[in-house]
Amino acid sequence: MQGVAFMGPFDARLWRSTKGDLAQDSPAFGTLSIWSGSPRMVLLFVWLTLPCAVQGTDGRTLGLGLSPRSRLKRQPGHGTWTHWGAWSACSSTCGDGASFRTRRCIRFPEEEICKGKARQYRVCELDDCPSGSTPFRAIQCSLYNGKPISGSQTPYQWVPFHGAPNLCDLNCLAVGHNFYYTFGRVLDGTRCNPESRDLCITGRCLRAGCDGILGSDAQADACGICNGKNESCVFVQRVFRAAFPTSGFFGYKNVTRIPAGARHIKVTDRSRNYLALMSTNQRYIINGDWAIDWPGVYEVAGTKVHYVRTADVYESFEATGPTQEDLFVMVLFQEHNSGIEYQFWLPMEQFRHVQSDASPLRQQQTREVEGSPEGEPQHFPQATAAPPVQKARDTAKKMSQEAPVSPARMPTQPGRCGHCQTPKGKSQRIHHYCQSDFVFRALILAKRYIGLETCYDVQVKHTYRNRFPIVSREYVWVSNTCDCPLLVERREYVLMAHRHVNYEHTLNRILLKRGSYARLWSPREDMQLRDVAKHCLPNRVL
């Protein structure tokens, strides 16, 4: 029946061209009449219908009695990688090292090679080498000890040389000579240089991504999640704007608490005040106890804090984190606060805990040694303030009444230090002038007793001699509380002081010793000081 249905559209035309007298018959009858006719008629019919069966209306090739089928040319593609194999043994037994794994590319002859690398390297997680162990690069150089090199038969002893351009060449310096030799490449897993954690792999210096793969572009987000999107932590940013008290109080003041787990910490200030950092056990780490530390890197709470202080009064704390304990940022006030900016990232769970605790991120009130204001959190460390004069005197009096001490160890107290020697005369003026690091005219702004010392906040009006830099606002320290020399607030004096740097190099200040030259400034005193410098030896080392 399929042949009958297929031939139906053509039988009427054929019938009209051959048997016109039968045109009035039905299509079915006409078709059957053809097959029952002569062989010549059957061949003619097949010849007429064959081109229509082979060539379709859209030009595509068709099969006889079948639906159209497209013939597409196969495009060659890339091969397919097998699964990664197991990781090899580490290239080292301690310290730095690398291991690798491989995979195979499976492809047909017409396919291109697979995209990607057939070998992958990662950093080994190893314990640190014992103290005194020979570095891996030094071991490789020592393998050539006593062996001649090209162009020379002299045996040499070799040590690593890190000044060559290619960090992953085995560059070794001849001991006792001023040349180095390159013995090819270093072994895989060798550090590129002693100060870096990057490793040499097949002659290239590679850095590990957060996934541990060398040469990987994977990076951890601010939350510490590898290839994350900062969705599991919160960014905290504040500005501390507490005003400098009009009473002239200067001392330590709470800025904020940085909770444990914080990352990417940054605290900045642009004033003559000093930032300070305190640990959970209320022990100062940086700039504590009225001593200013040198800028540098400090190990704090399981991370490294980079402390920066520049000559243009820029100061900052920066740490990558995460911190393993709470840290407390303080400020040692010396002038009005222009705003201390701080920021860090905190895990979401930690931030919810912080929100339930009102204390860590709100601005703290001034806390003096006499007590704490209401509402101040009990776990926040107490800021230390410069005690007022009367309190220091009462403390000293109480100490003297509680326990008798020998005169040699009696603490110094205001008004109980005996007679204060005051240098006078031209010879004393010349002597102190030539022996001092600083000679300047200063207005006394404020005075505070701090422990067993006196601190004067002064405004420098004019300098006659300064062997070290001095600015318009300084602190002058006196190592006693005896008012010796006696300096009265709001009065101007000529001071001859020394620079004091302690043994640990954590303290750098202007010190006015007992018996130092300190006289009220006057035009006459000014005229006498202008001619003193010519009496000092020109090359005298003070």
Side-chain angles (χ1 to χ4, degrees), residues 456-473:
Y456 293 92
D457 185 5
V458 304
Q459 180 180 355
V460 178
K461 295 283 191 176
H462 177 75
T463 61
Y464 301 92
R465 174 187 179 87
N466 55 298
R467 299 181 61 246
F468 302 97
I470 190 171
V471 294
S472 60
R473 188 79 174 269

Side-chain angles (χ1 to χ4, degrees), residues 134-413:
T134 304
F136 191 29
R137 187 182 288 261
I139 293 176
Q140 298 174 57
C141 283
S142 66
L143 296 176
Y144 297 92
N145 287 344
K147 297 180 180 180
I149 60 176
S150 177
S152 174
Q153 295 299 317
T154 305
Y156 297 101
Q157 301 294 312
W158 303 98
V159 294
F161 176 71
H162 299 285
N166 193 335
L167 302 178
C168 291
D169 283 345
L170 183 58
N171 304 302
C172 304
L173 179 69
V175 177
H177 299 79
N178 60 352
F179 71 91
Y180 71 92
Y181 193 83
T182 301
F183 295 97
R185 294 177 178 176
V186 296
L187 297 178
D188 287 349
T190 304
R191 274 197 187 188
C192 299
N193 60 70
E195 291 77 26
S196 172
R197 301 293 296 180
D198 303 342
L199 300 182
C200 291
I201 300 295
T202 63
R204 297 173 55 206
C205 186
L206 300 179
R207 176 172 297 179
C210 60
D211 52 3
I213 305 300
L214 288 163
S216 168
D217 295 329
Q219 295 182 355
D221 65 0
C223 313
I225 306 301
C226 190
N227 285 327
K229 299 180 180 179
N230 300 334
E231 297 175 346
S232 61
C233 58
V234 178
F235 182 58
V236 179
Q237 187 176 31
R238 301 284 190 276
V239 179
F240 176 76
R241 297 189 182 279
F244 187 85
T246 57
S247 60
F249 161 83
F250 65 95
Y252 287 95
K253 184 179 181 67
N254 306 325
V255 175
T256 189
R257 174 172 72 94
I258 300 178
R263 294 175 179 268
H264 304 286
I265 303 165
K266 186 175 183 179
V267 184
T268 58
D269 181 39
R270 292 184 178 276
S271 70
R272 292 182 65 250
N273 301 322
Y274 289 100
L275 296 175
L277 197 63
M278 179 184 285
S279 62
T280 304
N281 59 7
Q282 300 191 20
R283 181 179 63 85
Y284 279 107
I285 303 167
I286 303 175
N287 294 347
D289 301 321
W290 302 91
I292 305 304
D293 296 310
W294 290 99
V297 181
Y298 295 80
E299 295 283 348
V300 180
T303 187
K304 292 183 179 180
V305 175
H306 295 258
Y307 173 44
V308 176
R309 186 176 69 248
T310 62
D312 59 349
V313 300
Y314 174 82
E315 193 176 22
S316 69
F317 294 148
E318 292 191 42
T320 303
T323 56
Q324 297 178 358
E325 62 180 58
D326 292 352
L327 291 176
F328 299 92
V329 179
M330 322 287 286
V331 57
L332 176 57
F333 268 132
Q334 299 188 83
E335 65 178 18
H336 292 281
N337 174 34
S338 59
I340 299 173
E341 300 179 9
Y342 61 90
Q343 62 186 42
F344 53 85
W345 290 82
L346 199 63
M348 195 74 72
E349 294 300 322
Q350 286 289 100
F351 183 71
R352 294 193 185 101
H353 174 70
V354 165
Q355 286 183 311
S356 63
D357 179 5
S359 66
L361 300 179
R362 72 180 181 89
Q363 306 306 325
Q364 304 299 326
Q365 301 296 322
T366 303
R367 304 187 67 184
E368 300 188 9
V369 293
E370 287 84 348
S372 305
E374 294 183 4
E376 189 71 22
Q378 297 300 318
H379 61 273
F380 201 104
Q382 180 162 328
T384 57
V389 176
Q390 187 60 42
K391 181 174 178 61
R393 291 178 177 176
D394 294 344
T395 303
K397 182 177 180 181
K398 183 178 180 181
M399 290 174 59
S400 63
Q401 292 176 348
E402 288 181 351
V405 293
S406 62
R409 302 188 60 184
M410 182 176 294
T412 57
Q413 307 168 38

Side-chain angles (χ1 to χ4, degrees), residues 420-423 428 432 478 480 484-485 496 512-518:
C420 184
Q421 297 290 338
T422 302
Q428 288 295 316
H432 283 271
V478 179
N480 63 68
C484 182
M496 299 184 184
L512 197 63
K513 298 180 179 179
R514 178 169 180 156
S516 293
Y517 191 94

Side-chain angles (χ1 to χ4, degrees), residues 428-447:
Q428 288 295 316
R429 184 185 299 110
I430 295 174
H431 172 76
H432 283 271
Y433 185 100
C434 297
Q435 296 293 328
S436 299
D437 296 321
F438 306 97
V439 180
F440 56 97
R441 170 190 171 190
L443 171 65
I444 308 300
L445 300 177
K447 177 174 68 174

